[in-house]
Amino acid sequence: MKVVGRVTAALVGAGLALGLVVAVGTTAAAAAADGYYKQPFDATVWRVDGGVARAITYDEWAAAGFPQPAASPTDYVQYPWSWTIYAVTFWGDPESTWDWDRLTEPQWRASGSPAPRAVGWVEGSRVYRWETNFQELFVEAPDRTSHKLTYDEWAAAGFRPPGWNHNSGFLKLSWAPNIMRMTDLKSGIGRSIDQGDWHREGYPTPQVVRRVANDHFYKYDSSPVIYYQGPAFHRAIGYEEWVGAGTPSPELRSP
């Protein structure tokens, strides 16, 4: 991953084990002087001219007389809630000139296995809300991991305005334990998720409801058993569950 943009740095003090992040502003090194550079995790040669970096070809390097590249002004950072390590190279003063790379383990080892600095923002991340709980904020990192933000973590991210995942989110029936990941709330399209799915989404708090759009309670005219059919499950339900749902009149179906 190579992206260019802004980072709001946040160091983690004694509160690291608790996931606490304290914003301390950016810690960019001085802009790179004009010349040739190499990042330790990549064979590419970069030419910096006036604070603007450009990856050059082998022929361009040869034409320049194979100047020895200097070490790039690179820092190593990480979200405190993710294992992924990112390299950010400060080619110039404007944040638009910074280069971001999501490192593989071999690239990290090639860099000398540096201890990453905890930050509150990694370029390429996305802050968002779900329609089912407007009070909670989440961030999705470039490695696609998601995390529920505390107020302090949002502050460390620079209070970036969140996007809104319209018509989607998480529901839970008040009378059943299942949590549903809804992709279309208005149409009642979704599925029941397990703890692993919920964890990967950052544990969003589901909206508790009795019914879901276009769900069904039904029974066969030859049996008193009531069935529920919806995104949470499709099965026979007990009397208490039916009462919890508000004793809806079941549809009559033929066997």
Side-chain angles (χ1 to χ4, degrees):
M1 178 195 77
K2 281 188 177 292
V3 291
V4 178
R6 176 181 179 184
V7 59
T8 300
L11 292 180
V12 175
L16 177 58
L18 299 177
L20 300 179
V21 182
V22 181
V24 296
T26 57
T27 58
D34 288 356
Y36 296 85
Y37 294 86
K38 258 190 181 182
Q39 296 162 312
F41 51 86
D42 190 272
T44 302
V45 176
W46 294 78
R47 172 76 171 97
V48 174
D49 186 7
V52 177
R54 181 176 64 87
I56 63 173
T57 66
Y58 179 85
D59 289 343
E60 288 176 309
W61 188 33
F66 295 110
Q68 180 63 37
S72 63
T74 299
D75 195 8
Y76 299 87
V77 301
Q78 180 183 55
Y79 277 129
W81 41 266
S82 172
W83 290 104
T84 303
I85 297 174
Y86 303 86
V88 53
T89 301
F90 305 106
W91 293 125
D93 289 327
E95 295 169 357
S96 60
T97 66
W98 299 356
D99 178 65
W100 287 81
D101 294 89
R102 188 173 73 220
L103 299 184
T104 63
E105 184 174 350
Q107 287 176 318
W108 175 64
R109 294 194 182 282
S111 301
S113 304
R117 183 170 53 83
V119 294
W121 180 255
V122 171
E123 183 63 24
S125 300
R126 179 176 69 97
V127 177
Y128 59 95
R129 305 178 195 262
W130 293 104
E131 186 166 324
T132 46
N133 193 326
F134 200 69
Q135 300 304 312
E136 294 180 332
L137 288 179
F138 295 83
V139 60
E140 182 184 64
D143 64 1
R144 303 302 297 274
T145 56
S146 295
H147 175 73
K148 185 189 298 186
L149 290 172
T150 65
Y151 180 85
D152 287 342
E153 288 171 332
W154 188 31
F159 292 114
R160 293 171 187 268
W164 187 12
N165 291 338
H166 292 275
N167 196 32
S168 58
F170 297 81
L171 298 178
K172 180 190 175 301
L173 295 172
S174 59
W175 46 272
N178 306 65
I179 293 175
M180 295 165 279
R181 166 71 168 89
M182 304 299 295
T183 55
D184 188 336
L185 289 164
K186 292 179 180 178
S187 300
I189 299 173
R191 64 180 180 87
S192 185
I193 61 174
D194 59 23
Q195 284 290 321
D197 294 326
W198 195 29
H199 168 72
R200 283 185 286 274
E201 294 284 0
Y203 295 114
T205 302
Q207 180 182 344
V208 179
V209 295
R210 276 186 168 183
R211 301 287 302 272
V212 177
N214 295 321
D215 63 2
H216 299 275
F217 290 83
Y218 69 92
K219 64 186 291 293
Y220 298 107
D221 53 15
S222 59
S223 170
V225 177
I226 296 175
Y227 295 83
Y228 174 79
Q229 182 178 9
F233 50 77
H234 184 187
R235 62 168 172 80
I237 62 172
Y239 177 78
E240 290 184 357
E241 291 177 308
W242 180 56
V243 171
T247 61
S249 297
E251 308 163 16
L252 287 179
R253 295 185 181 181
S254 300

